[in-house]
Amino acid sequence: MASFFLEILRNEFSFSEQDAQILRKTIREQNRTDRRYYYQHLKSREKKFIHHLQEHYQSLESDGQNQWLDIVVQSMLDRGGEPDISDVLVMKIIGPLTVYNQLRVKSESEGVKLKMLVNFGGMGTVITLVSTITALVLYLMAR
C-alpha cells in the first residue's frame, strides 16, 4: 500500500531504491544505519514530500480523498496498526485523528487486533494510569 504514495513521490523526486525501502519501514523496523540515512538524506526533504502529496490530495475529489484514507488505513492494518514513514506523511495531510478513528472502526469490523499503544493517545493513557497509581500509593504511604 505504501507503494501507491511512493509512486506519486517518485514521479516528482528522484528516489533511490534505498530511499523507497526506508520509507516503507516503520520507525521500529529501522536499524541504526537506516535511521541515520533517513535523518541525513530524507528528513530534510520531508516538507517538500508533504507539500507535493498535499497538492495531489487537494486536487482529488472526495471519492479520491476517501480512497487515500482507505489505503492508509489498510496499510496500517496490515502491520497491526503501526504506520510506516510514507503513511505518516499522508497522515499529516489527512489528519491523524481521522486516520486513527477510521483505523479503530475498521479493525473492529474486520476483527484485526491492533498492537499495544497504537491508538491515538495510547501513551497518554499509560502515563495517566501510572501517575494515578503512583499518586494513590504515595497518598496511602503518607497516611
Side-chain angles (χ1 to χ4, degrees):
M1 295 297 176
S3 60
F4 176 78
F5 303 115
L6 290 177
E7 287 303 317
I8 294 172
L9 291 174
R10 260 193 194 157
N11 294 337
E12 181 70 21
F13 304 97
S14 59
F15 278 161
S16 67
E17 188 57 38
Q18 186 178 10
D19 294 344
Q21 290 244 334
I22 288 175
L23 290 174
R24 284 188 190 109
K25 291 182 179 181
T26 65
I27 294 292
R28 291 183 192 182
E29 291 174 344
Q30 291 180 355
N31 57 28
R32 188 176 193 171
T33 58
D34 290 341
R35 273 186 249 123
R36 181 178 292 136
Y37 183 86
Y38 172 71
Y39 283 105
Q40 286 178 350
H41 297 97
L42 297 174
K43 185 71 173 172
S44 60
R45 300 185 329 180
E46 189 174 275
K47 287 183 182 179
K48 293 177 185 175
F49 299 157
I50 292 172
H51 182 70
H52 179 70
L53 286 170
Q54 190 168 23
E55 286 177 352
H56 193 81
Y57 180 77
Q58 290 175 347
S59 69
L60 298 171
E61 295 181 13
S62 64
D63 291 338
Q65 292 178 353
N66 288 334
Q67 182 183 12
W68 273 41
L69 177 62
D70 291 338
I71 290 171
V72 170
V73 168
Q74 187 60 46
S75 174
M76 290 173 65
L77 277 177
D78 292 342
R79 281 185 301 290
E82 283 188 276
D84 61 16
I85 295 177
S86 64
D87 291 339
V88 170
L89 295 176
V90 176
M91 282 174 48
K92 288 180 181 179
I93 296 166
I94 297 174
L97 284 176
T98 306
V99 174
Y100 279 114
N101 285 336
Q102 186 69 24
L103 176 70
R104 190 178 65 241
V105 168
K106 197 164 184 178
S107 70
E108 289 174 1
S109 68
E110 292 182 7
V112 176
K113 190 169 183 172
L114 299 176
K115 294 179 181 176
M116 277 189 86
L117 301 178
V118 167
N119 287 334
F120 190 80
M123 187 58 89
T125 304
V126 171
I127 292 171
T128 303
L129 182 63
V130 169
S131 300
T132 304
I133 292 171
T134 304
L136 182 63
V137 168
L138 290 174
Y139 173 75
L140 292 174
M141 287 176 58
R143 280 182 54 177

